[in-house]
Amino acid sequence: MAEAASKVPVTIDSGEPKKPLFGLSFLENLSEMPMLRQVGLLVGLAASVAIGFGVVLWSQQPDYRPLLGSLAGMDASQVMDTLAAADISYTVEPNSGALLVKADDLARARLRLASAGIAPTDSNIGFEILDKEQGLGTSQFMEATRYRRGLEGELARTVSSLNNVKAARVHLAIPKSSVFVRDERKPSASVLVELYPGRSLEPSQVMAIINLVATSVPELNKSQITVVDQKGNLLSDQQELSELSMAGKQFDHTRRLESLYTQRVHNILQPVLGNGRYKAEVSADVDFSAVESTSETFNPDQPALRSEQSVNEQRQSSLPPQGVPGALSNQP
Protein backbone atom coordinates (compact mmCIF):
# COMPACT_ATOMS: atom_id res chain seq x y z
CA MET A 1 0.00 0.00 0.00
CA ALA A 2 2.83 2.33 0.77
CA GLU A 3 4.38 1.72 -2.66
CA ALA A 4 1.07 2.32 -4.42
CA ALA A 5 0.54 5.53 -2.56
CA SER A 6 4.01 6.72 -3.43
CA LYS A 7 3.32 6.32 -7.18
CA VAL A 8 0.32 8.65 -7.20
CA PRO A 9 1.29 11.90 -9.00
CA VAL A 10 1.32 14.94 -6.82
CA THR A 11 -0.32 18.08 -8.24
CA ILE A 12 1.91 21.09 -7.79
CA ASP A 13 0.33 24.52 -7.93
CA SER A 14 2.98 26.87 -9.31
CA GLY A 15 0.89 29.95 -8.60
CA GLU A 16 1.22 31.29 -12.27
CA PRO A 17 -1.98 32.77 -13.79
CA LYS A 18 -3.64 30.76 -16.57
CA LYS A 19 -3.43 32.09 -20.15
CA PRO A 20 -6.76 33.35 -21.46
CA LEU A 21 -8.34 31.90 -24.59
CA PHE A 22 -7.38 33.20 -28.06
CA GLY A 23 -10.54 35.24 -28.53
CA LEU A 24 -10.35 36.78 -25.09
CA SER A 25 -6.70 37.73 -25.55
CA PHE A 26 -7.54 39.38 -28.91
CA LEU A 27 -10.30 41.40 -27.31
CA GLU A 28 -8.04 42.40 -24.42
CA ASN A 29 -5.32 43.50 -26.86
CA LEU A 30 -7.90 45.36 -28.93
CA SER A 31 -9.14 47.24 -25.91
CA GLU A 32 -5.59 48.27 -25.04
CA MET A 33 -4.93 49.69 -28.56
CA PRO A 34 -5.38 53.40 -29.32
CA MET A 35 -8.70 54.46 -30.78
CA LEU A 36 -7.20 55.24 -34.23
CA ARG A 37 -5.71 51.77 -34.58
CA GLN A 38 -8.95 50.17 -33.44
CA VAL A 39 -10.90 52.05 -36.14
CA GLY A 40 -8.35 51.11 -38.83
CA LEU A 41 -8.45 47.46 -37.81
CA LEU A 42 -12.26 47.38 -37.90
CA VAL A 43 -12.33 49.08 -41.32
CA GLY A 44 -9.83 46.55 -42.71
CA LEU A 45 -11.85 43.68 -41.30
CA ALA A 46 -15.05 45.04 -42.86
CA ALA A 47 -13.32 45.50 -46.23
CA SER A 48 -12.03 41.94 -46.17
CA VAL A 49 -15.51 40.61 -45.48
CA ALA A 50 -16.99 42.73 -48.29
CA ILE A 51 -14.36 41.52 -50.77
CA GLY A 52 -15.06 37.94 -49.78
CA PHE A 53 -18.78 38.36 -50.36
CA GLY A 54 -18.10 40.05 -53.71
CA VAL A 55 -15.91 37.17 -54.89
CA VAL A 56 -18.58 34.67 -53.90
CA LEU A 57 -21.31 36.59 -55.71
CA TRP A 58 -19.13 37.08 -58.81
CA SER A 59 -18.35 33.36 -58.98
CA GLN A 60 -22.07 32.61 -58.89
CA GLN A 61 -22.87 34.92 -61.85
CA PRO A 62 -23.37 33.23 -65.26
CA ASP A 63 -20.48 33.15 -67.71
CA TYR A 64 -21.24 35.35 -70.73
CA ARG A 65 -19.63 34.66 -74.10
CA PRO A 66 -19.59 36.88 -77.21
CA LEU A 67 -22.22 35.86 -79.75
CA LEU A 68 -21.47 38.68 -82.21
CA GLY A 69 -18.35 40.80 -82.19
CA SER A 70 -20.33 43.81 -83.36
CA LEU A 71 -23.85 44.63 -84.49
CA ALA A 72 -22.53 46.71 -87.40
CA GLY A 73 -24.16 45.74 -90.67
CA MET A 74 -27.02 43.92 -88.91
CA ASP A 75 -30.55 44.78 -87.80
CA ALA A 76 -30.11 45.10 -84.03
CA SER A 77 -33.85 45.06 -83.31
CA GLN A 78 -34.30 41.86 -85.30
CA VAL A 79 -31.44 40.19 -83.44
CA MET A 80 -32.81 41.15 -80.03
CA ASP A 81 -36.36 40.14 -80.94
CA THR A 82 -35.13 36.73 -82.07
CA LEU A 83 -33.21 36.15 -78.82
CA ALA A 84 -36.12 37.38 -76.71
CA ALA A 85 -38.54 35.04 -78.52
CA ALA A 86 -36.21 32.12 -77.76
CA ASP A 87 -36.03 33.16 -74.08
CA ILE A 88 -32.26 33.71 -74.28
CA SER A 89 -30.84 36.35 -71.96
CA TYR A 90 -28.27 38.67 -73.54
CA THR A 91 -26.28 41.79 -72.78
CA VAL A 92 -24.34 44.31 -74.85
CA GLU A 93 -20.76 45.19 -73.90
CA PRO A 94 -20.72 49.02 -73.72
CA ASN A 95 -17.12 49.54 -74.85
CA SER A 96 -16.87 47.24 -77.88
CA GLY A 97 -20.57 46.83 -78.68
CA ALA A 98 -20.31 43.04 -78.65
CA LEU A 99 -23.46 41.00 -78.02
CA LEU A 100 -22.95 38.60 -75.10
CA VAL A 101 -25.05 35.58 -74.14
CA LYS A 102 -24.66 32.86 -71.51
CA ALA A 103 -22.16 30.14 -72.29
CA ASP A 104 -24.87 27.48 -72.00
CA ASP A 105 -27.09 29.30 -74.52
CA LEU A 106 -24.35 30.14 -77.03
CA ALA A 107 -24.98 27.23 -79.43
CA ARG A 108 -28.77 27.63 -79.23
CA ALA A 109 -28.53 31.36 -79.90
CA ARG A 110 -26.40 30.80 -83.00
CA LEU A 111 -28.87 28.25 -84.32
CA ARG A 112 -31.76 30.65 -83.73
CA LEU A 113 -30.05 33.47 -85.62
CA ALA A 114 -29.09 31.14 -88.47
CA SER A 115 -32.65 29.78 -88.76
CA ALA A 116 -33.99 33.36 -88.82
CA GLY A 117 -31.60 34.25 -91.65
CA ILE A 118 -29.79 36.93 -89.67
CA ALA A 119 -26.19 37.44 -90.80
CA PRO A 120 -23.83 40.39 -91.25
CA THR A 121 -24.46 42.10 -94.56
CA ASP A 122 -21.76 43.51 -96.79
CA SER A 123 -22.31 47.18 -97.53
CA ASN A 124 -20.15 47.01 -100.68
CA ILE A 125 -22.00 46.26 -103.91
CA GLY A 126 -20.00 44.21 -106.38
CA PHE A 127 -20.68 42.80 -109.81
CA GLU A 128 -24.03 41.49 -108.62
CA ILE A 129 -25.36 44.91 -109.58
CA LEU A 130 -25.06 43.78 -113.19
CA ASP A 131 -27.47 40.90 -112.51
CA LYS A 132 -30.34 43.31 -111.97
CA GLU A 133 -32.68 43.81 -114.84
CA GLN A 134 -32.12 46.96 -116.85
CA GLY A 135 -34.68 48.85 -118.82
CA LEU A 136 -34.74 48.74 -122.57
CA GLY A 137 -33.86 52.40 -122.86
CA THR A 138 -30.83 52.30 -120.53
CA SER A 139 -28.17 54.67 -121.81
CA GLN A 140 -24.53 53.83 -122.31
CA PHE A 141 -23.61 56.21 -119.51
CA MET A 142 -25.71 54.25 -116.99
CA GLU A 143 -24.18 50.97 -118.12
CA ALA A 144 -20.65 52.33 -117.70
CA THR A 145 -21.55 53.78 -114.30
CA ARG A 146 -22.92 50.47 -113.08
CA TYR A 147 -19.84 48.63 -114.26
CA ARG A 148 -17.55 51.13 -112.52
CA ARG A 149 -19.59 50.87 -109.32
CA GLY A 150 -19.42 47.08 -109.39
CA LEU A 151 -15.67 47.18 -109.98
CA GLU A 152 -15.22 49.58 -107.05
CA GLY A 153 -17.20 47.26 -104.77
CA GLU A 154 -15.20 44.19 -105.79
CA LEU A 155 -11.90 45.99 -105.18
CA ALA A 156 -13.15 47.23 -101.79
CA ARG A 157 -14.05 43.66 -100.79
CA THR A 158 -10.63 42.41 -101.82
CA VAL A 159 -8.80 45.13 -99.88
CA SER A 160 -11.03 44.53 -96.83
CA SER A 161 -9.93 40.89 -96.76
CA LEU A 162 -6.47 41.93 -95.50
CA ASN A 163 -5.81 41.14 -91.86
CA ASN A 164 -5.28 44.70 -90.61
CA VAL A 165 -8.03 46.30 -92.72
CA LYS A 166 -11.49 46.51 -91.17
CA ALA A 167 -13.22 48.14 -94.14
CA ALA A 168 -12.26 49.85 -97.39
CA ARG A 169 -13.72 52.08 -100.07
CA VAL A 170 -12.39 52.46 -103.60
CA HIS A 171 -13.12 55.36 -105.98
CA LEU A 172 -12.21 55.04 -109.65
CA ALA A 173 -11.98 57.96 -112.08
CA ILE A 174 -12.10 56.41 -115.53
CA PRO A 175 -12.26 59.07 -118.27
CA LYS A 176 -14.15 58.53 -121.48
CA SER A 177 -11.98 57.21 -124.27
CA SER A 178 -11.20 59.60 -127.12
CA VAL A 179 -10.05 58.97 -130.68
CA PHE A 180 -7.62 61.90 -130.45
CA VAL A 181 -4.28 61.13 -128.81
CA ARG A 182 -3.83 64.63 -127.42
CA ASP A 183 -7.19 64.44 -125.62
CA GLU A 184 -6.51 61.04 -124.07
CA ARG A 185 -6.44 60.99 -120.25
CA LYS A 186 -5.26 58.25 -117.93
CA PRO A 187 -7.52 56.80 -115.21
CA SER A 188 -6.84 57.36 -111.52
CA ALA A 189 -7.98 55.76 -108.25
CA SER A 190 -8.19 56.52 -104.54
CA VAL A 191 -8.46 53.97 -101.72
CA LEU A 192 -9.67 54.70 -98.19
CA VAL A 193 -8.84 51.97 -95.64
CA GLU A 194 -10.28 51.73 -92.13
CA LEU A 195 -7.79 49.93 -89.91
CA TYR A 196 -8.45 48.07 -86.69
CA PRO A 197 -7.52 49.98 -83.51
CA GLY A 198 -3.83 49.66 -82.71
CA ARG A 199 -2.88 48.25 -86.12
CA SER A 200 -1.11 49.72 -89.12
CA LEU A 201 -0.13 48.77 -92.65
CA GLU A 202 3.43 47.91 -93.59
CA PRO A 203 4.94 49.62 -96.66
CA SER A 204 4.90 46.28 -98.47
CA GLN A 205 1.16 45.95 -97.78
CA VAL A 206 0.49 49.46 -99.09
CA MET A 207 2.46 48.63 -102.23
CA ALA A 208 0.46 45.41 -102.57
CA ILE A 209 -2.81 47.39 -102.46
CA ILE A 210 -1.47 49.79 -105.11
CA ASN A 211 -0.42 46.93 -107.39
CA LEU A 212 -3.77 45.20 -106.84
CA VAL A 213 -5.76 48.24 -107.94
CA ALA A 214 -3.38 49.10 -110.80
CA THR A 215 -3.61 45.64 -112.35
CA SER A 216 -7.40 45.59 -112.05
CA VAL A 217 -8.03 48.71 -114.12
CA PRO A 218 -6.72 48.96 -117.69
CA GLU A 219 -4.08 51.63 -118.35
CA LEU A 220 -3.98 52.64 -114.67
CA ASN A 221 -0.52 53.76 -113.56
CA LYS A 222 0.72 53.13 -110.02
CA SER A 223 1.58 56.79 -109.58
CA GLN A 224 -2.11 57.69 -110.08
CA ILE A 225 -3.28 55.69 -107.02
CA THR A 226 -3.71 57.29 -103.58
CA VAL A 227 -4.12 55.28 -100.38
CA VAL A 228 -5.37 57.06 -97.22
CA ASP A 229 -6.36 55.69 -93.81
CA GLN A 230 -9.34 56.77 -91.68
CA LYS A 231 -7.17 59.34 -89.85
CA GLY A 232 -6.25 61.14 -93.07
CA ASN A 233 -2.67 59.86 -93.22
CA LEU A 234 -1.26 59.50 -96.73
CA LEU A 235 0.11 55.97 -97.09
CA SER A 236 0.95 55.93 -100.81
CA ASP A 237 3.99 58.21 -101.07
CA GLN A 238 5.73 56.52 -104.01
CA GLN A 239 9.20 57.85 -103.29
CA GLU A 240 9.04 56.95 -99.62
CA LEU A 241 7.63 53.50 -100.40
CA SER A 242 10.41 52.79 -102.89
CA GLU A 243 13.09 53.91 -100.44
CA LEU A 244 11.61 51.86 -97.59
CA SER A 245 11.26 48.84 -99.85
CA MET A 246 14.88 49.11 -100.95
CA ALA A 247 16.05 49.58 -97.35
CA GLY A 248 14.07 46.51 -96.28
CA LYS A 249 15.61 44.40 -99.03
CA GLN A 250 19.11 45.55 -98.08
CA PHE A 251 18.44 44.81 -94.41
CA ASP A 252 17.19 41.30 -95.22
CA HIS A 253 20.24 40.64 -97.42
CA THR A 254 22.58 41.74 -94.62
CA ARG A 255 20.84 39.51 -92.08
CA ARG A 256 21.07 36.54 -94.44
CA LEU A 257 24.81 37.10 -94.86
CA GLU A 258 25.30 37.31 -91.10
CA SER A 259 23.33 34.13 -90.54
CA LEU A 260 25.31 32.33 -93.23
CA TYR A 261 28.72 33.30 -91.83
CA THR A 262 27.62 32.57 -88.26
CA GLN A 263 26.63 29.06 -89.31
CA ARG A 264 29.98 28.57 -91.03
CA VAL A 265 31.87 29.61 -87.88
CA HIS A 266 29.65 27.28 -85.86
CA ASN A 267 30.45 24.36 -88.18
CA ILE A 268 34.19 25.02 -87.78
CA LEU A 269 34.33 25.45 -83.99
CA GLN A 270 31.77 22.89 -82.84
CA PRO A 271 33.81 19.74 -83.64
CA VAL A 272 36.91 21.23 -81.97
CA LEU A 273 35.55 22.95 -78.86
CA GLY A 274 32.20 21.21 -78.34
CA ASN A 275 28.74 22.58 -77.66
CA GLY A 276 28.37 25.44 -75.18
CA ARG A 277 32.13 26.23 -75.07
CA TYR A 278 32.12 29.14 -77.49
CA LYS A 279 29.96 31.96 -78.76
CA ALA A 280 30.10 33.24 -82.32
CA GLU A 281 28.45 36.34 -83.74
CA VAL A 282 28.99 38.00 -87.11
CA SER A 283 28.21 41.63 -87.93
CA ALA A 284 28.23 42.31 -91.67
CA ASP A 285 28.81 45.80 -93.04
CA VAL A 286 27.71 45.65 -96.67
CA ASP A 287 28.32 48.55 -99.02
CA PHE A 288 25.28 48.87 -101.30
CA SER A 289 26.55 51.92 -103.18
CA ALA A 290 26.45 51.52 -106.96
CA VAL A 291 28.49 53.41 -109.58
CA GLU A 292 27.63 53.51 -113.27
CA SER A 293 30.39 54.35 -115.79
CA THR A 294 30.65 54.36 -119.57
CA SER A 295 33.95 54.15 -121.44
CA GLU A 296 35.03 53.99 -125.10
CA THR A 297 38.49 52.64 -125.97
CA PHE A 298 40.44 52.42 -129.24
CA ASN A 299 43.35 50.24 -130.19
CA PRO A 300 46.43 52.49 -130.35
CA ASP A 301 48.43 50.01 -132.49
CA GLN A 302 45.97 49.89 -135.36
CA PRO A 303 44.24 52.82 -136.97
CA ALA A 304 40.57 53.05 -136.06
CA LEU A 305 37.93 55.03 -137.82
CA ARG A 306 36.08 57.10 -135.23
CA SER A 307 33.83 59.12 -137.54
CA GLU A 308 33.13 59.44 -141.26
CA GLN A 309 31.34 62.14 -143.21
CA SER A 310 30.63 62.19 -146.93
CA VAL A 311 29.46 65.24 -148.91
CA ASN A 312 28.36 64.99 -152.54
CA GLU A 313 27.58 68.21 -154.41
CA GLN A 314 26.62 68.61 -158.07
CA ARG A 315 26.18 71.84 -160.11
CA GLN A 316 25.05 72.57 -163.66
CA SER A 317 25.80 76.00 -165.18
CA SER A 318 24.35 75.67 -168.74
CA LEU A 319 20.61 75.28 -168.41
CA PRO A 320 18.19 75.60 -171.31
CA PRO A 321 15.69 78.48 -171.31
CA GLN A 322 12.82 77.86 -168.99
CA GLY A 323 9.64 79.63 -168.01
CA VAL A 324 7.03 81.46 -170.01
CA PRO A 325 8.10 82.09 -173.59
CA GLY A 326 9.15 85.65 -174.12
CA ALA A 327 12.12 88.00 -174.12
CA LEU A 328 12.94 87.60 -170.44
CA SER A 329 12.82 83.80 -170.41
CA ASN A 330 15.03 83.48 -173.48
CA GLN A 331 17.89 85.29 -171.81
CA PRO A 332 20.56 83.03 -170.26
Side-chain angles (χ1 to χ4, degrees), residues 90 150 258 328:
Y90 60 89
E258 293 176 352
L328 295 179

Side-chain angles (χ1 to χ4, degrees), residues 67-80:
L67 176 63
L68 297 173
S70 176
L71 294 177
M74 303 182 67
D75 190 356
S77 60
Q78 186 179 3
V79 173
M80 295 178 181

Side-chain angles (χ1 to χ4, degrees), residues 116-142:
I118 300 175
T121 57
D122 188 6
S123 58
N124 296 320
I125 300 177
F127 281 141
E128 65 270 9
I129 193 175
L130 301 178
D131 298 335
K132 298 180 180 180
E133 296 184 0
Q134 301 181 11
L136 184 61
T138 304
S139 62
Q140 184 180 3
F141 172 77
M142 291 300 299

Side-chain angles (χ1 to χ4, degrees), residues 35-84:
M35 183 60 66
L36 185 60
R37 295 190 61 183
Q38 291 181 9
V39 173
L41 185 60
L42 293 177
V43 171
L45 182 60
S48 302
V49 174
I51 292 174
F53 275 109
V55 171
V56 172
L57 294 177
W58 176 79
S59 61
Q60 293 179 354
Q61 290 181 356
D63 184 17
Y64 280 90
R65 300 292 180 84
L67 176 63
L68 297 173
S70 176
L71 294 177
M74 303 182 67
D75 190 356
S77 60
Q78 186 179 3
V79 173
M80 295 178 181
D81 292 342
T82 304
L83 296 179

Side-chain angles (χ1 to χ4, degrees), residues 47-329:
S48 302
V49 174
I51 292 174
F53 275 109
V55 171
V56 172
L57 294 177
W58 176 79
S59 61
Q60 293 179 354
Q61 290 181 356
D63 184 17
Y64 280 90
R65 300 292 180 84
L67 176 63
L68 297 173
S70 176
L71 294 177
M74 303 182 67
D75 190 356
S77 60
Q78 186 179 3
V79 173
M80 295 178 181
D81 292 342
T82 304
L83 296 179
D87 196 14
I88 298 175
S89 60
Y90 60 89
T91 181
V92 179
E93 212 281 328
N95 295 327
S96 62
L99 184 64
L100 307 177
V101 297
K102 294 181 181 179
D104 300 336
D105 299 335
L106 183 60
R108 190 161 61 94
R110 290 177 177 175
L111 290 176
R112 284 286 183 175
L113 294 181
S115 61
I118 300 175
T121 57
D122 188 6
S123 58
N124 296 320
I125 300 177
F127 281 141
E128 65 270 9
I129 193 175
L130 301 178
D131 298 335
K132 298 180 180 180
E133 296 184 0
Q134 301 181 11
L136 184 61
T138 304
S139 62
Q140 184 180 3
F141 172 77
M142 291 300 299
E143 293 180 353
T145 303
R146 288 187 176 183
Y147 173 76
R148 187 183 73 249
R149 185 180 178 187
L151 182 59
E152 291 175 350
E154 293 294 334
L155 290 174
R157 289 175 180 175
T158 305
V159 175
S160 300
S161 61
L162 297 177
N163 292 332
N164 296 338
V165 180
K166 182 179 180 181
R169 295 192 64 182
V170 179
H171 302 280
L172 299 177
I174 303 177
K176 186 178 179 180
S177 58
S178 176
V179 295
F180 299 101
V181 178
R182 62 183 179 181
D183 296 336
E184 185 179 2
R185 293 179 297 174
K186 297 295 182 181
S188 59
S190 58
V191 182
L192 174 65
V193 292
E194 181 181 357
L195 306 178
Y196 286 102
R199 298 187 183 181
S200 60
L201 290 178
E202 299 292 335
S204 58
Q205 294 176 323
V206 177
M207 185 60 68
I209 294 175
I210 293 176
N211 292 332
L212 176 67
V213 177
T215 53
S216 301
V217 181
E219 299 182 0
L220 178 58
N221 194 1
K222 297 179 183 179
S223 59
Q224 299 297 324
I225 301 176
T226 304
V227 181
V228 185
D229 62 359
Q230 73 270 24
K231 297 181 180 179
N233 298 324
L234 180 63
L235 306 178
S236 58
D237 190 355
Q238 298 292 333
Q239 182 177 1
E240 182 180 359
L241 287 177
S242 60
E243 293 177 355
L244 290 176
S245 178
M246 182 62 65
K249 292 179 181 179
Q250 294 176 357
F251 181 80
D252 294 338
H253 178 69
T254 304
R255 290 297 172 264
R256 284 196 297 268
L257 286 179
E258 293 176 352
S259 178
L260 176 62
Y261 286 118
T262 303
Q263 186 63 32
R264 288 183 178 180
V265 174
H266 176 74
N267 295 336
I268 295 174
L269 297 181
Q270 183 181 8
V272 180
L273 302 178
N275 291 329
R277 297 180 177 272
Y278 68 93
K279 183 177 181 180
E281 184 176 353
V282 177
S283 178
D285 186 7
V286 185
D287 186 9
F288 292 100
S289 59
V291 178
E292 295 183 3
S293 62
T294 304
S295 61
E296 184 179 3
T297 59
F298 299 91
N299 189 357
D301 299 332
Q302 298 179 0
L305 181 63
R306 296 187 59 182
S307 62
E308 182 179 3
Q309 184 177 5
S310 176
V311 178
N312 186 8
E313 184 178 357
Q314 296 181 358
R315 293 184 180 181
Q316 294 182 0
S317 57
S318 60
L319 294 177
Q322 298 179 356
V324 180
L328 295 179
S329 61

